[in-house]
Structures are given as C-alpha cells and as structure tokens.
Amino acid sequence: MPEPAVPRLTRLLGIVTQLEEHGEASFDDLARHFGVSREVIKDDIDTLWVSGLPGYGTTDLLDFDGYAYEEGIARLVESLGIRQIRLAPAEAVALMGALGSIVASGVASTAAEGALDALRDAVKGAMAVTVVGASTTDQAAVQALREGIETSRAVVVTYIDARDRRTERVIEPHRLVALDGIGYVECFCRRAGDYRTLRLDRLEGAKETDEPQAAPRRASEGFALEPQYEAEVMIDLAGRWAFEDLPGVELEETPDGVVARFGVANPQVIVARLLAVGPHLKKVGPADLRAQLAEAAEAVLASASIPGKDKA
Amino acid sequence: MPAPDAAERLLNLLIALTHARVRMTRAEIRATVAGYDPIDDRDDPETARKRTVAFERMFERDKEDLRRLGVPLRTVTDATHGDEIGYVIDAGDATMPPITLSAVERAVVAVAADYWQNAALGTDARRALIKITSSAARVEDETVHLAARSTVGVDAAPALAQAIADGQAVRFTYTSATSGKAERTVEPWRLVVRGGPLYLVGLDRDRGEPRTYRLSRIEGAVTAVGDRGAFVAPSGLAGIHLEAAVPTLTARIGLRAESGHAIRRRGRFLRSEGEWDIYDVSYCDTEYLRDEILGLAGAARVVSPETLAEAVVAHARAALEVAHA
C-alpha cells in the first residue's frame, strides 16, 4: 500500500523547511532526522524536484543541485517560498494534550513544561484542549528518583500501597512512566526482591543513597504494568463507568448487560472497583478474581458489624 | 510520465494556490495543476461527465486533506466571473512559526508524540512532531528515561478538535449512565484531559445547558452539522464542575493502624479505640468516600453517618453475592 498522502506531504514540506533553515544535508542525515529510510528521502527529493507552479517549465519548479544529488546530498536551489504548515487543530490537541497529560502525571522534568510553553506560543489563537491534573505528586521525591535513574543509585522511598499501608523500601529506579495521566516509577524493589511499578502519587518521600544499583534494567519496551490474568465482568449500564478507563479494556453491550474484558495487573485495584459497583455487578470471572472479591467484601462486612458504634 | 501520487498532487495544489495572484477557480485548477485530469474536448458527453464527476470527487478529498493538515483554504467569490467560487491560500496564515526547543525538550516531545499509541490522535501527534522538528537543528536526541502511554478511547477527538476550531456544531451517539443511549447535538467548546480520559465540554442544544461528555462514551462517527462559525465558545469553563466541590459533610471513620493514609491526611484525629484510630473527615461526595472505604477492604469502617455505613454494607453484600454465585 502506498504511504497516505497527508503524512508524506508533511514530510515533503519538512524537508524543504529543514534545508532552507540549515543548508544542505546528506540523504542519510535527513533520513535520521525524519525517522525514515534513505530510499524514502531519495524518493521525496525526486518528487519535490518535479513539483512547482502551473506551467511546470524549468523555472517554475523546486530545484536542487544535480551534482550534489549524485553525491547523496540534498542542496536546495529554489524553494518557491514553500514552508512547513502550522499545526492543525487536531494535531495541536493531540500533541499538547499528551504533553500536558505527561506534565500532570508528575513524571516530567521542567523540560516538558518548557516544551509545552514553546508550543503554546507557536499555536495561534485559543487552544482547544485543557489539561486538569488528576493526581498530585511530591516533586522533590520525583526529582530524587530522577537522579537515582540518571546516576544508577538506589533510593529509599516511603510508599503507601493500594491497601493504604505505609512502607519504607529501598528501590532501584529505572524509568518514569505516565500511563493514562498517572505517573509511575518502574523499579527493582529490594524489599520484594522483584521488579515493581509504583505510583508516584503514593510516594510520601524519597531520598537518594550512595548505593549503586545492582539489578539489571529490563530491556522490555513495554510497560511493567503487565496483566497477571484476563478478567471478564458483566455489569448493567449504570456500572459501565467503572471499567471505561481501565487500560486496554474492551466493552461489549449485550442484551444481558455490558461485558468488560481487561487485563488485571493489580488485583487490589480491580477488587476496589468491583466493590464500588457492587449493586450493578452481574457476573465476575475468573474464579481467582471472584475469590479475591469475596475476601475483600467479607472483610468490609466484618469491620462494619463491630458493635459499640458511637453516634457522632 | 507516470501519474503523480496524491501527496505530489497536493503539493502542486498547495504551491499553485499559495502563488495564485487573486484566486483559482475549479476549472483553472483542473486545467493547470499537475495531477488533475484536464478536460479533453475529444471525449463524448458521457465520458466527459464521468471524468468531471471523478475530478470533483478528487478535488473535494484534496480540499479536506489540506484542511486536516491545517492549511486555511480561503474561498473567494468574484462577481465579474459569474459568482464562480475561487480558492486561494494565504501563505502567512499557513506557515509554522519557528519553535526553538532544547535537545531534552525535543526528546520529551517525541515521547509525547507516542502517547496516544495507535488511536486516532496518534497519527495527528506524530504529524505534529514532524512539523515541529522540521526547522530544528539535526542533532542526536537526548536520552530521557521516560515513557508515556494512553489506553483510553479517543477516536472522536480529531473531529471534535476540528469542529471546535471551526465553531461548528456536532452530532453524535452518546451513552450516559442515567439516560441510556441517545443522539446529542452539541456546540463543542473545549476538550479536557483529566488523568486518562478525555472529556468534551459544550452546550447541549436540546437541553440548552452546558454539559460534559466523556469521549469513550461517544459511539461511532462525530458529524459536523450546520455552518462554520455558528457560535463562539466562552473563554473560561464557567459552570463546568471538573474540579471537586467544596466539602460540606463530615463523616466519622475508624481506621486500622498503618492504613487509610489518604483519609488520615484529610481528616482530624479524635482518639484511639482499641485497634481503631477514629478520624473526622470532611467530604462532599458520598459515593467517593464510600468507594474509598470499600477499597480499604476492611481496614476502615464507618462510625457515622448511618447512610454512609449502610451504603458501604449494601455494596459489599451485593458484590459478595455475585462473587459466591
């Protein structure tokens, strides 16, 4: 299938702009800069060379130096004044929404805010997207993690887990990650003796140590929030909201109710959601998740039935 | 010469309209811009008609592609030419202003461009990255130990962003928890990202009131309806409650040792009763506090009010019933 027209046109204009701004460039350098192969760049130059004004005589066309071309170098002789086009509304929303979301998650350094400001200046008129923070992070703690990542040192953190228990642990931070607007640190946790992904908004403090990291960083491209198992839950329409924003969820409306299928990375988080929509639940699977749900529900009921309530 | 591909034709159209002295009519575009199929006088009427229909379809698609790319195609009517519509591009309006980013900033923008994964917005974000880096110096990107990803449904976002920019109303099918599935006609004002999900804030025309819609609940295509520039969005987001309201109610909660830190932080410690620490906590949303207590899975209990305690018990019982089914 040929490349769609719109992305290709964007790159064609990009090449002309790049050459106008910074002078001649080898096909290889352009390929690296635009993230495509040398062949694609050569095709692009060939296309640009025969494009121009109606009439399409020799003086109406974009022009390159033929000798340089033979050497694999793009040297622009005539640009006809064409330049890269400003961001379209959907492009601005896509990039600035993503950047804003990364900033709001707390994982980004000041560089992200700097980039966001620079982009905001470049986009004319009112922005069509606003980002509202969904969590608050202790930026001093995140900075300590960032330094731990860059210097390959261990960090001591105070962490509140999903059941709201406070623990102190020594971790070897590897990477900061924003997933659906929430910030995490991927790390090796010495307390657990295993790799863990911790939420940044549950950190109550972090302090760097002098100890070098010992566990190898995992080469995985993916996120460490990998699902342990697949779950399938049926709820009525009123309970649908609780599943809509689960990572990778598939929702299917059936005559009996809405069926949500999703991967379970942290059972405690899923069990909390299931309890929150208790009256709307119809079916829960697999058996593991049912058992965890039953255990949590029984614990809630046991605590609630303690006698000697004092009336406020 | 082989037929030029669509990108090549768009480029030639862009150059021609940017350099047009006043404007170009459709007929002029068809006759002179490379890549379009010009009128051939030797055609019989049926072939000529078919080729004209094909040209019109191609030109409409090209106009739409340029719009999607952010090129403001201005239409100019000229009475001396029998009111036939002509087109022109104002180069000044169309050009990307220079953006200076440091190497680290650029690396972060590249991470952001991958945020939406394969969703509809992903294509737009990657194109935005190409546009922004077009004028940037060719240097190696810095390594940032950072990754970002979104997994929520945002398919409706590009169409809504365009409609907001155009000041054009939209129609879509929306599922709400309270009123089920229905067709909505909305004047879109703004997209809001909060945590993972994207929301649309706009005026619901049927209800005559501002509403907030979650994009993942929009089903199928978003259709633009009516004229462009039909309304002006208010500059603020007045009347839209995305932030939590001011807490006005108070609950008394018992917490087990070393747990319930979120409630502890917000609340006021009263006393310890055996293994329970008793706190007073202000809240505005009963359902939120109820879910928080459920999530603590027995590490918290409601002392008062009774309605909250009952809600917690009712939810746990209902869940237990399903878990044992």
Side-chain angles (χ1 to χ4, degrees):
Chain A
M1 207 181 85
E3 185 182 3
V6 173
R8 180 160 190 234
L9 178 58
T10 309
R11 192 177 58 246
L12 291 171
L13 296 169
I15 291 170
V16 174
T17 303
Q18 174 64 214
L19 296 173
E20 278 275 83
E21 201 74 29
H22 300 287
E24 66 179 44
S26 70
F27 296 172
D28 289 324
D29 281 352
L30 288 175
R32 250 193 310 279
H33 191 72
F34 289 100
V36 292
S37 71
R38 187 182 195 275
E39 285 62 44
V40 167
I41 292 293
K42 193 168 168 297
D43 275 355
D44 286 347
I45 304 285
D46 291 345
T47 294
L48 286 166
W49 213 339
V50 296
S51 301
L53 288 161
Y56 305 100
T58 46
T59 57
D60 301 322
L61 300 175
L62 282 159
D63 199 14
F64 291 86
D65 184 321
Y67 297 107
Y69 177 89
E70 293 303 323
E71 305 286 320
I73 288 168
R75 182 183 298 152
L76 192 62
V77 178
E78 173 58 61
S79 74
L80 296 175
I82 67 167
R83 298 289 279 201
Q84 186 55 275
I85 293 159
R86 70 185 164 92
L87 294 185
E91 293 166 355
V93 164
L95 197 58
M96 296 177 73
L99 256 181
S101 199
I102 292 170
V103 170
S105 75
V107 298
S109 59
T110 46
E113 286 165 51
L116 198 53
D117 286 342
L119 291 183
R120 217 175 268 133
D121 288 344
V123 176
K124 276 202 213 161
M127 264 310 295
V129 65
T130 304
V131 178
V132 182
S135 66
T136 49
T137 51
D138 175 350
Q139 276 303 303
V142 177
Q143 185 55 33
L145 292 177
R146 201 173 286 127
E147 276 160 26
I149 291 168
E150 275 159 20
T151 59
S152 275
R153 306 269 167 198
V155 175
V156 186
V157 298
T158 308
Y159 188 69
I160 314 292
D161 73 11
R163 283 267 172 91
D164 231 5
R165 288 171 300 223
R166 184 201 302 262
T167 57
E168 187 144 293
R169 21 178 129 187
V170 179
I171 64 164
E172 301 179 3
H174 296 157
R175 188 167 72 149
L176 295 172
V177 164
L179 181 67
D180 289 332
I182 305 291
Y184 302 85
V185 56
E186 290 179 343
C187 62
F188 181 83
C189 174
R190 290 191 183 167
R191 185 166 168 271
D194 200 359
Y195 294 90
R196 287 281 185 270
T197 303
L198 306 180
R199 270 180 79 132
L200 296 183
D201 60 358
R202 289 182 166 272
L203 283 181
E204 278 205 336
K207 236 177 80 193
E208 262 190 289
T209 70
D210 292 333
E211 282 181 59
Q213 297 189 3
R217 293 191 182 188
R218 287 198 292 193
S220 79
E221 283 291 307
F223 283 60
L225 290 168
E226 266 140 35
Q228 297 174 14
Y229 58 80
E230 289 294 311
E232 186 173 308
V233 170
M234 188 189 280
I235 57 266
D236 64 30
L237 198 57
R240 182 189 154 115
W241 62 269
F243 301 91
E244 282 171 346
D245 59 354
L246 289 178
V249 67
E250 270 176 52
L251 291 164
E252 187 197 340
E253 282 175 31
T254 73
D256 298 329
V258 180
V259 176
R261 293 183 192 88
F262 51 91
V264 178
N266 184 343
Q268 285 177 0
V269 172
I270 301 302
V271 164
R273 296 247 176 148
L274 294 173
L275 286 170
V277 289
H280 304 297
L281 279 180
K282 288 167 177 252
K283 263 185 221 164
V284 174
D288 278 358
L289 185 57
R290 272 202 302 279
Q292 283 163 324
L293 177 62
E295 190 192 325
E298 277 161 1
V300 169
L301 293 173
S303 292
S305 64
I306 288 165
K309 280 183 192 169
D310 107 358
K311 303 278 177 205
Chain B
M1 206 168 94
D5 78 355
E8 203 169 331
R9 187 178 65 242
L10 283 172
L11 178 62
N12 282 311
L13 179 61
L14 183 72
I15 296 171
L17 291 180
T18 308
H19 286 262
R21 241 167 276 132
V22 184
R23 54 172 213 159
M24 284 180 93
T25 62
R26 281 172 184 244
E28 286 165 346
I29 289 166
R30 184 176 176 188
T32 63
V33 175
Y36 292 107
D37 181 24
I39 291 171
D40 189 334
D41 292 335
R42 290 163 299 181
D43 285 343
D44 59 82
E46 180 56 19
T47 311
R49 194 192 60 79
K50 275 188 184 156
R51 287 174 63 175
T52 298
V53 169
F55 162 77
E56 292 292 336
R57 198 180 299 135
M58 182 182 271
F59 182 65
E60 284 306 315
R61 207 167 48 216
D62 289 351
K63 258 174 40 187
E64 195 45 47
D65 275 350
L66 286 180
R67 235 166 75 80
R68 205 144 52 93
L69 205 56
V71 180
L73 211 61
R74 205 155 56 80
T75 54
V76 184
T77 44
D78 181 354
T80 61
H81 289 82
D83 285 335
E84 198 190 344
I85 293 173
Y87 302 90
V88 68
I89 292 168
D90 297 323
D93 275 1
T95 308
M96 179 88 190
I99 295 183
T100 318
L101 295 176
S102 70
V104 184
E105 286 171 346
R106 228 174 61 221
V108 174
V109 173
V111 170
D114 277 340
Y115 182 69
W116 304 107
Q117 300 292 309
N118 295 321
L121 277 181
T123 325
D124 292 290
R126 281 187 290 276
R127 211 160 56 229
L129 179 67
I130 297 278
K131 285 187 174 180
I132 282 161
T133 52
S134 290
S135 60
R138 294 185 301 274
V139 290
E140 291 289 310
D141 275 349
E142 289 274 322
T143 307
V144 285
H145 300 278
L146 184 67
R149 179 187 286 186
S150 158
T151 65
V152 297
V154 292
D155 290 357
L160 292 173
Q162 186 71 51
I164 290 169
D166 291 344
Q168 195 172 17
V170 287
R171 189 172 294 150
F172 50 79
T173 304
Y174 189 75
T175 306
S176 108
T178 45
S179 47
K181 200 182 288 188
E183 191 95 333
R184 308 289 185 110
T185 307
V186 177
E187 295 180 1
W189 292 347
R190 220 164 172 71
L191 292 169
V192 177
V193 182
R194 185 180 195 204
L198 248 88
Y199 300 86
L200 168 69
V201 177
L203 182 82
D204 189 307
R205 278 201 178 157
D206 303 317
R207 287 160 187 78
E209 282 173 14
R211 288 287 154 96
T212 303
Y213 308 88
R214 216 174 152 121
L215 263 61
S216 58
R217 291 184 175 179
I218 293 176
E219 203 177 286
V222 171
T223 323
V225 290
D227 293 333
R228 288 181 196 150
F231 62 89
V232 177
S235 53
L237 286 174
I240 306 298
H241 298 292
L242 279 162
E243 296 291 358
V246 184
T248 51
L249 305 165
T250 304
R252 186 158 293 177
I253 309 293
L255 298 167
R256 285 193 202 276
E258 279 299 294
S259 65
H261 293 283
I263 292 173
R264 284 170 198 264
R265 269 199 297 275
R266 298 202 306 273
R268 189 167 62 86
F269 175 72
L270 293 181
R271 60 182 173 273
S272 287
E273 277 177 16
E275 56 182 320
W276 297 96
D277 296 335
I278 309 294
Y279 277 79
D280 270 353
V281 60
S282 302
Y283 67 104
C284 57
D285 184 343
T286 305
E287 293 178 1
Y288 182 86
L289 187 57
R290 177 198 72 205
D291 294 350
E292 208 176 354
I293 289 159
L294 285 164
L296 288 169
R301 69 182 179 93
V302 181
V303 178
S304 69
E306 200 66 39
T307 45
L308 179 62
E310 280 164 7
V312 168
V313 169
H315 275 64
R317 282 217 178 101
L320 191 59
E321 212 168 285
V322 176
H324 283 159

